[in-house]
Amino acid sequence: MARWQPRASERLMVAALDLFEERGYEDTTVIDIAERAGLTKSTFFRHFPDKREVLFGGDSMTGLVTEAIAAAPAGATPLEAVANALHAVGTESFTSARRDFVTRRWAVISANPELREREALKGLGLTAAMAGALERRGVAELTACVAAELGALAWKIAYQRWSDPTNADGFSQLACQALDEVQAASASC
Amino acid sequence: MARWQPRASERLMVAALDLFEERGYEDTTVIDIAERAGLTKSTFFRHFPDKREVLFGGDSMTGLVTEAIAAAPAGATPLEAVANALHAVGTESFTSARRDFVTRRWAVISANPELREREALKGLGLTAAMAGALERRGVAELTACVAAELGALAWKIAYQRWSDPTNADGFSQLACQALDEVQAASASC
C-alpha cells in the first residue's frame, strides 16, 4: 500500500528542477527525479502522467484564476475581473518567496523544445479557462475571449518584468500596470 | 547522391495525413510515411526534423504573413496590416481547393496531444512573427503585440467558421469579418 507523502508533488517538482539544471532535461529520468525527492517512481506517476508534466504542477493555476474571476465584484468589467485573477496569481503563486523558483523553472522550460511545447499548450488552456470564467459571469463569448487574450499578454509582460531581479515590485502590481498598458495599446490598433 | 524529388515535402505531408487517419499518429512511423509517399527515410529527414513536424510544412506560413504585413499600404493601421496578412492566408494557403486537406489536418492534430503541443508552439511563433513584422513598420512594441494577438484570435475564429462545410464564404472574407468583430469586442472589455 502506498504511504501518504506530504507535499510529494512539490518535492518532485523541486527535485526535477534541480536535476534539469544540473544535467539537462534529456539526461534526467523519472527514476532520477523520484530518487532525488526520496520517493518512488510509482509515487511520481500518481502525481504526473509523464516527465514533461513535472514542472507544470497539475492545474492549480487554472483553479486559482477561474475562482478569482468568479469572485470579482458583480459590476466589474471583463478586464477588471481579469485583473482580479492576475492579482490572485501574485498573492498565491508568484510571491516574492517563490520568485527564484519560478524564474529558474522558466529558464529550464525556455531551454527545452519539449517543455516549451507543453508550456505553450498550458498557456492556451489557461487563456481558455479565463475566457470560460468570464462567460460564466455573463460576458459575451467574443468579449470574454478578447479579455482573456489581453490578460494573457499582460501576464506575460508582467512576468518578464517581475523575473528581472533588479525589479522590486510584486507580480500583482506589475500585472495591474501591464493590463492598463495593454488596454491602452488595444485602443491604438 | 539524393535525387531531387519534386514536391517531396507536400507528398510526405499528404502521406502522413492519410496514415495518421488510417492507423493513428502513434502507430505510424517515419518509414511508413516515406514509403507511402514513394520516398526514402532520409528524404523525410531532409524536409522535417521529426514525425511531429510533418503536418506543419516548414515555416511557409510565417513568411506569408510577415511579407503581407510588410506589403500593407504605408498608412495602414496595425489591424489593417494584420488584415492584409489574413487575406494572404486566404488567397495563398487556406484556399477552397485546400479546405478539405486543411480541415482533415486540423482534425488529426486536435486528436493528438503531441501534435496539439507542437501546434500551440507554432501558433505562438506565428503571433510573435506578426508582432515583429508590425514593429518593422514602426508600430510600437506593445501595440504590435496586441494587434498580433487580436489577429491570431480573428484567425482562429475565421478558421472555425471556414472549416464548417455548410459555410460558403472564403477564409479571407471570414477573417476580415472576424477581425472587425474582435476589434469591436476589445472596445467593450
Side-chain angles (χ1 to χ4, degrees):
Chain A
M1 289 297 289
R3 216 158 47 82
W4 179 73
Q5 297 291 356
R7 300 170 65 215
S9 134
E10 195 174 322
R11 281 161 60 192
L12 289 163
M13 199 187 282
V14 169
L17 186 57
D18 286 343
L19 287 164
F20 295 164
E21 286 178 335
E22 284 166 29
R23 54 178 93 157
Y25 172 82
E26 293 296 346
D27 293 329
T28 300
T29 67
V30 165
I31 294 174
D32 297 335
I33 298 167
E35 276 178 4
R36 176 69 65 100
L39 298 166
T40 62
K41 185 176 150 188
S42 57
T43 301
F44 182 97
F45 286 117
R46 269 200 301 281
H47 289 274
F48 305 104
D50 56 28
K51 186 176 74 168
R52 273 191 194 203
E53 191 68 15
V54 68
L55 291 186
F56 296 94
D59 288 318
S60 58
M61 197 65 100
T62 305
L64 182 65
V65 299
T66 56
E67 283 163 28
I69 286 173
T77 65
L79 284 182
E80 283 166 354
V82 167
N84 214 43
L86 296 181
H87 187 264
V89 171
T91 52
E92 302 291 325
S93 183
F94 290 2
T95 59
S96 58
R98 291 189 75 238
R99 181 155 78 167
D100 177 59
F101 177 81
V102 171
T103 52
R104 283 172 57 208
R105 172 187 170 279
W106 179 247
V108 166
I109 290 171
S110 301
N112 184 277
E114 278 190 31
L115 293 173
R116 285 214 312 275
E117 287 184 357
R118 177 76 42 109
E119 173 80 6
L121 193 61
K122 294 280 176 185
L124 292 188
L126 204 53
T127 305
M130 288 198 285
L134 288 167
E135 280 192 71
R136 287 191 292 280
R137 290 176 61 85
V139 177
E141 184 184 2
L142 186 55
T143 307
C145 287
V146 172
E149 293 290 351
L150 297 179
L153 181 57
W155 181 321
K156 197 176 81 176
I157 292 165
Y159 176 78
Q160 283 163 352
R161 293 175 183 168
W162 178 69
S163 61
D164 175 352
T166 66
N167 196 325
D169 294 331
F171 182 82
S172 296
Q173 188 184 340
L174 293 167
C176 193
Q177 184 190 321
L179 199 57
D180 284 346
E181 290 172 23
V182 164
Q183 186 170 21
S186 76
S188 60
C189 281
Chain B
M1 290 298 289
R3 219 159 45 84
W4 178 72
Q5 296 291 357
R7 299 171 66 214
S9 132
E10 195 174 320
R11 281 161 62 192
L12 288 162
M13 197 188 286
V14 169
L17 186 56
D18 286 344
L19 287 164
F20 295 165
E21 286 177 336
E22 284 166 29
R23 55 179 92 155
Y25 173 81
E26 293 296 345
D27 293 329
T28 301
T29 67
V30 165
I31 294 174
D32 296 335
I33 297 167
E35 276 179 3
R36 176 70 64 101
L39 298 165
T40 63
K41 186 177 148 189
S42 57
T43 301
F44 181 97
F45 286 117
R46 269 200 302 281
H47 289 274
F48 305 104
D50 57 28
K51 185 176 75 167
R52 273 191 194 201
E53 192 68 15
V54 67
L55 292 186
F56 297 93
D59 289 316
S60 58
M61 197 65 101
T62 305
L64 182 65
V65 298
T66 55
E67 282 163 29
I69 285 173
T77 66
L79 284 182
E80 284 166 354
V82 167
N84 215 43
L86 296 180
H87 187 265
V89 171
T91 52
E92 301 291 325
S93 183
F94 290 3
T95 59
S96 59
R98 291 190 75 237
R99 182 154 78 166
D100 176 60
F101 177 80
V102 172
T103 52
R104 283 172 57 208
R105 172 186 170 279
W106 180 247
V108 166
I109 290 171
S110 300
N112 183 277
E114 277 190 30
L115 293 174
R116 285 214 311 274
E117 288 184 356
R118 176 76 43 111
E119 174 79 7
L121 193 61
K122 294 278 177 187
L124 292 188
L126 204 53
T127 305
M130 288 199 284
L134 287 167
E135 279 192 72
R136 287 191 291 280
R137 290 176 60 85
V139 177
E141 185 184 0
L142 187 55
T143 307
C145 286
V146 172
E149 292 290 351
L150 297 179
L153 182 57
W155 182 320
K156 198 176 82 177
I157 292 165
Y159 177 78
Q160 284 163 353
R161 294 174 183 169
W162 179 68
S163 61
D164 175 353
T166 65
N167 196 325
D169 293 332
F171 181 82
S172 295
Q173 188 184 339
L174 292 167
C176 195
Q177 184 190 322
L179 199 58
D180 284 346
E181 291 172 23
V182 164
Q183 187 169 20
S186 75
S188 59
C189 279

